[in-house]
Amino acid sequence: LAKTTQPISMDSYEGQEVNITCSHNNIATNDYITWYQQFPSQGPRFIIQGYKTKVTNEVASLFIPADRKSSTLSLPRVSLSDTAVYYCLVGDFHTGGFKTIFGAGTRLFVKA
Amino acid sequence: DAMVIQNPRYQVTQFGKPVTLSCSQTLNHNVMYWYQQKSSQAPKLLFHYYDKDFNNEADTPDNFQSRRPNTSFCFLDIRSPGLGDAAMYLCATSRGRTSGYNEQFFGPGTRLTVL
């Protein structure tokens, strides 16, 4: 089962680009990488999902190197409202069952 | 708006007194999940339903049970709550389980207090 490692916390300032890296050394061939955002007292919210190379949507980009042992969530021009916990998940539904576990998460603090 | 609804938002129960948390969805999704999230920890998957097929996580205590009477509703039953069961309980849904279909939509959660 792929385990993920993320920085516990990060600080940034408004308007900066933030990159949060997740390590997943034993990612399986069928595993996808998914990121969620969670604000206090709310459920997590899906940000982005990818398998390899680069994925971009309206809120973020996800960079995945060829070996897929890590991934980087990139948030362009963060604002105060991006202060939240960001979770990296690695897994998928395999024949043997559902294998997706939330990592410990990275607490991002965006300062004015 | 299509959404995932959890009731109640806050639930207080007594040690050992059975409690039921409810979740409903208007997304018509096939999969419904229940997570437990303790303070400053990541959500931990308890079990999920794919349609009517129940899938329990190996380390989920027997004290936790679930029911899904129809597509829209799913319930979490805690038969004998202990102090360690105090947590936020999150319900989520997804269209499917495999990538491309497994984006999870979470409800606001129910915060359970055990006295």
Side-chain angles (χ1 to χ4, degrees):
Chain A
L1 183 63
K3 178 184 175 181
T4 62
T5 303
Q6 304 173 233
I8 294 174
S9 66
M10 295 180 67
D11 290 345
S12 182
Y13 289 93
E14 282 191 295
Q16 289 188 332
E17 178 184 77
V18 170
N19 295 308
I20 306 175
T21 297
C22 179
S23 297
H24 28 80
N25 290 320
N26 58 342
I27 188 170
T29 302
N30 293 336
D31 286 346
Y32 276 66
I33 300 151
T34 311
W35 286 81
Y36 284 82
Q37 174 193 56
Q38 187 176 29
F39 298 113
S41 299
Q42 294 185 24
R45 183 175 71 102
F46 175 89
I47 300 174
I48 199 166
Q49 184 179 73
Y51 183 80
K52 63 180 179 180
T53 61
K54 177 184 175 182
V55 180
T56 297
N57 62 21
E58 62 276 9
V59 298
S61 294
L62 179 60
F63 297 92
I64 306 167
D67 66 5
R68 303 198 331 116
K69 293 184 182 299
S70 67
S71 59
T72 299
L73 174 72
S74 180
L75 305 172
R77 298 181 301 280
V78 295
S79 64
L80 295 176
S81 63
D82 292 317
T83 294
V85 178
Y86 292 82
Y87 291 102
C88 167
L89 282 72
V90 174
D92 205 343
F93 182 76
H94 300 272
T95 304
F98 199 72
K99 303 294 183 186
T100 299
I101 296 177
F102 278 79
T106 297
R107 292 182 180 274
L108 173 66
F109 297 95
V110 180
K111 307 172 186 177
Chain B
D1 286 342
M3 57 176 56
V4 180
I5 303 163
Q6 291 189 246
N7 285 308
R9 293 292 310 278
Y10 300 91
Q11 176 74 55
V12 179
T13 190
Q14 292 181 332
F15 183 93
K17 184 176 181 180
V19 65
T20 295
L21 309 182
S22 72
C23 176
S24 63
Q25 55 133 339
T26 60
L27 296 162
N28 202 32
H29 282 173
N30 291 314
V31 192
M32 295 187 77
Y33 310 80
W34 279 105
Y35 289 87
Q36 178 193 64
Q37 186 174 28
K38 296 186 176 180
S39 181
S40 300
Q41 295 184 20
K44 179 181 180 297
L45 182 64
L46 297 174
F47 26 59
H48 77 278
Y49 274 94
Y50 181 79
D51 196 10
K52 297 180 181 179
D53 182 31
F54 178 70
N55 297 266
N56 198 29
E57 292 299 300
D59 57 353
T60 298
D62 293 340
N63 198 28
F64 293 87
Q65 303 287 320
S66 186
R67 296 169 283 135
R68 189 180 185 185
N70 54 52
T71 300
S72 300
F73 286 87
C74 195
F75 300 97
L76 170 62
D77 300 308
I78 309 177
R79 294 192 295 188
S80 181
L83 298 179
D85 296 328
M88 175 76 83
Y89 289 88
L90 295 163
C91 175
T93 73
S94 67
R95 286 186 294 163
R97 292 184 293 194
T98 54
S99 298
Y101 298 95
N102 61 5
E103 173 185 346
Q104 295 185 37
F105 294 79
F106 283 82
T110 294
R111 183 166 296 283
L112 178 68
T113 299
V114 181
L115 301 177

